[in-house]
């Protein structure tokens, strides 16, 4: 029974280490992506040219 508990703890520890490494590695990509997307939305909001004909929604 003790070896089962040790095995489960080891598996959970390894899984958390892998997830932590993935999050640590992908976090800068997420931040850069959010900044680029925000800049794109800001650009579209500032340079919005409403070219719909009058009378059409």
């Amino acid at each position: 029974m003790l070896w089962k508990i040790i095995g489960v703890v080891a598996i959970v520890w390894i899984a958390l280490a892998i997830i932590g490494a993935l999050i640590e590695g992908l976090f800068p990509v997420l931040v850069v992506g959010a900044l680029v997307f925000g800049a794109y939305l800001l650009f579209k909001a500032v340079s919005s040219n409403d070219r719909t004909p009058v009378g059409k929604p």
Side-chain angles (χ1 to χ4, degrees):
M1 184 66 176
L2 178 65
W3 289 110
K4 286 183 182 180
I5 295 173
I6 292 174
V8 169
V9 170
I11 290 173
V12 169
W13 189 3
I14 292 170
L16 288 176
I18 291 171
I19 291 171
L22 285 174
I23 290 174
E24 185 178 346
L26 293 178
F27 187 73
V29 175
L30 177 69
V31 170
V32 169
L35 289 175
V36 169
F37 184 65
Y40 170 74
L41 289 180
L42 183 63
F43 175 75
K44 292 298 279 186
V46 169
S47 68
S48 174
N49 291 332
D50 190 16
R51 296 183 180 184
T52 57
V54 178
K56 290 192 176 184

